[in-house]
Amino acid sequence: MRRGEQPPWIVSDELWAEIAPLLPPRPPRRHRFPGRKPIDDRKVLCGILFVLYTAIPWEYLPQELGFGSGMTCWRRLRDWNDAGVWQRLHEVLLGKLRAADQLDMSRAVIDGSHIRALKGGPKPVRARSTAASQARNTTSSPMRAAFPSPRA
């Protein structure tokens, strides 16, 4: 990171304007036992990006950064993933790139991990033997009779 550059885990205002409408609404707080006030979604997203960028374990996310606990970030990531936020964000950003004619599909790669594997595909055929005759069975060999198993 160069001097004056923003760290890669800090979400810009422009990117946040794209992401915020895609996030599911937070459930309302209870009146009687409201619990802790939830951390702002943008801060949590920065915490998620920090963990992914630095590859630290979730539980080691520094509290001093103000992103919430690692468990909070992990739970939000799970909830947002279940709500389909990342897929919708991917589609929105691709649409914007296509509209601005900035998407170069000549460099696209199809990855097999994104294609559903069908069950019950063709089974490989067992290779035929190339030997002239079948090997002798070791259970009926004369050596086996001469040297019985100690368990017998």
Side-chain angles (χ1 to χ4, degrees), residues 30-48:
R30 299 177 303 209
H31 268 311
R32 189 162 178 197
F33 301 106
R36 238 181 238 172
K37 189 175 181 184
I39 295 177
D40 180 47
D41 286 336
R42 187 172 181 173
K43 288 182 181 180
V44 172
L45 179 59
C46 291
I48 292 168

Side-chain angles (χ1 to χ4, degrees), residues 41-132:
D41 286 336
R42 187 172 181 173
K43 288 182 181 180
V44 172
L45 179 59
C46 291
I48 292 168
L49 294 175
F50 181 84
V51 168
L52 296 177
Y53 184 80
T54 60
I56 62 169
W58 290 103
E59 60 266 19
Y60 294 145
L61 179 66
Q63 294 287 312
E64 297 82 22
L65 295 175
F67 301 147
S69 72
M71 199 63 194
T72 297
C73 293
W74 181 86
R75 277 192 206 107
R76 286 286 170 96
L77 176 64
R78 179 201 58 199
D79 295 344
W80 293 343
N81 189 53
D82 291 346
V85 170
W86 310 120
Q87 180 64 34
R88 289 195 315 265
L89 177 63
H90 181 76
E91 291 164 1
V92 165
L93 294 177
L94 279 178
K96 286 191 176 278
L97 287 172
R98 278 194 190 103
D101 200 29
Q102 292 184 342
L103 192 62
D104 182 11
M105 292 305 283
S106 68
R107 303 189 79 168
V109 177
I110 296 176
D111 182 2
S113 66
H114 296 296
I115 298 172
R116 195 176 124 236
L118 298 174
K119 291 183 180 180
K123 304 274 189 277
V125 179
R126 187 174 178 181
R128 292 189 313 152
S129 174
T130 57

